[in-house]
Amino acid sequence: HREEYSFDSLSKMSSQFAHALEGMGVQFRERVAIMLDPSIEFYVSVFGAMKMGAVAVPCYSQFGSEALEHRLKDSNAKVLIITDEHRKMVPAWPHLTVITVGPAFQNLLKNESDQYETKTVAKDVAVYQYTSGTTRKFPEAIKHYHRSIVTIMPAAIFGRGLRPGDRYFCPSTPTWGHGLWHGTLSPLALGIAVGAYSGKFDIEVFLKGLEEFEIDNLGAAPTVYRMMKNSGLVGKFNLKIKKMHYTGEPMDTDTFQFLKETFGVPPHSGYGSTEAGALILSLIHI
């Protein structure tokens, strides 16, 4: 099913969450972990934490207990937002407040003000984005600062071709770098509505979404583009894609040619920018 939220409603709910965190005793620069699929609760938690000056720690919803425990321990998280389904894997730490989505999450917001005055500055840390762990023994937290949204704008404008009025979609989960920075934060900063895919990926549902939302700017991993090619379904949908980019891995020649011939434009590469870009963003904050 589809859900739509306005900038205004997200802003108000994230302000309520920021007040709720303060009410729980969360302090400036303390960490708030969020282990959820893309959802209104995910975005409210991330933006609410950043608003009050806490540090958002997005965690992939398919993590096992060891992966989650490492991130909670390493970040010294004070709060964790999670589903009932995954609640059982959370260690029983006295310093960790666990909030499950559903009635408990809604009750947390309902009596709070929907206006919040932020006190953060450019050099404050906004997000701990953990690496995949494939290039080092343990995943490492890359610190992203509030200023990082400015330093990523050249990539958004010139690499992704984002422009006001774009119908933009990125199916990459916002718990990883591409989905969070290139799929969510940078387009929102430009006033561009964003899309997110939640749940088990289905190429036909994905293509239907591209048609229904009239997406004209698409950013995805090459695997998604290959699935589009191999599905044989692209011609059954009225797709209006005018701009494409990819990252995370190289793209094979057959997929590249298919996209170019089908949509009349070539996909643009951001390959190699995910982890290296995270490191650059962590350095360019002064």
Side-chain angles (χ1 to χ4, degrees):
H1 66 281
R2 60 180 284 178
E3 295 181 3
E4 292 186 44
Y5 295 91
S6 67
F7 284 92
D8 184 59
S9 63
L10 178 57
S11 175
K12 289 180 177 179
M13 292 174 71
S14 61
S15 291
Q16 290 174 311
F17 187 74
H19 284 296
L21 289 177
E22 289 185 333
M24 289 187 287
V26 176
Q27 302 295 310
F28 201 76
R29 300 189 182 91
E30 289 190 323
R31 272 68 66 194
V32 176
I34 304 106
M35 184 176 170
L36 301 172
D37 279 326
S39 58
I40 188 61
E41 292 88 356
F42 174 85
Y43 296 108
V44 165
S45 299
V46 169
F47 286 109
M50 291 193 293
K51 268 188 178 181
M52 70 140 290
V55 180
V57 185
C59 298
Y60 186 42
S61 62
Q62 299 302 311
F63 280 153
S65 57
E66 290 185 2
L68 175 61
E69 184 171 348
H70 169 74
R71 286 159 177 79
L72 293 175
K73 183 177 180 180
D74 185 73
S75 67
N76 192 26
K78 300 300 180 185
V79 175
L80 170 65
I81 314 298
I82 199 167
T83 62
D84 275 324
E85 177 187 358
H86 292 121
R87 177 67 177 82
K88 59 183 179 295
M89 71 169 62
V90 181
W93 292 341
H95 71 272
L96 180 67
T97 299
V98 180
I99 301 167
T100 55
V101 294
F105 189 89
Q106 296 303 322
N107 287 336
L108 194 67
L109 305 183
K110 68 179 184 180
N111 294 321
E112 301 292 351
S113 169
D114 62 9
Q115 301 295 315
Y116 189 89
E117 184 178 349
T118 59
K119 303 176 183 66
T120 55
V121 296
K123 65 180 181 180
D124 290 329
V125 179
V127 178
Y128 278 8
Q129 188 86 59
Y130 276 84
T131 62
S132 62
T134 56
T135 57
R136 48 180 58 85
K137 186 175 180 180
F138 295 108
E140 182 178 345
I142 304 299
K143 297 179 181 179
H144 294 284
Y145 300 81
H146 283 267
R147 181 181 170 85
S148 297
I149 194 62
V150 177
T151 62
I152 206 171
M153 281 298 104
I157 295 170
F158 301 110
R160 273 75 191 167
L162 292 173
R163 297 292 186 274
D166 277 2
R167 305 284 294 183
Y168 180 64
F169 194 88
C170 174
S172 301
T173 173
T175 53
W176 296 111
H178 181 245
L180 182 63
W181 289 96
H182 301 301
T184 305
L185 295 177
S186 58
L188 287 180
L190 292 168
I192 299 170
V194 300
Y197 190 103
S198 185
K200 185 177 180 180
F201 189 81
D202 181 288
I203 190 63
E204 188 168 2
V205 172
F206 172 68
L207 292 170
K208 183 179 179 180
L210 296 183
E211 178 185 62
E212 186 173 346
F213 288 100
E214 300 181 324
I215 301 303
D216 58 16
N217 190 339
L218 176 63
T223 298
V224 173
Y225 291 114
R226 280 195 295 273
M227 292 176 71
M228 291 172 64
K229 173 177 70 71
N230 295 337
S231 71
L233 298 172
V234 171
K236 297 181 179 181
F237 295 90
N238 181 23
L239 302 184
K240 301 181 178 181
I241 297 173
K242 299 176 182 178
K243 291 178 276 190
M244 294 170 285
H245 79 266
Y246 65 93
T247 189
E249 58 181 295
M251 178 178 286
D252 62 277
T253 304
D254 287 346
T255 300
F256 182 92
Q257 290 299 329
F258 167 80
L259 295 172
K260 185 176 180 181
E261 292 169 7
T262 301
F263 300 109
V265 292
H268 291 268
S269 173
Y271 174 55
S273 69
T274 305
E275 188 164 318
L279 290 169
I280 291 170
L281 286 174
S282 71
L283 294 172
I284 310 177
H285 70 277
I286 299 174

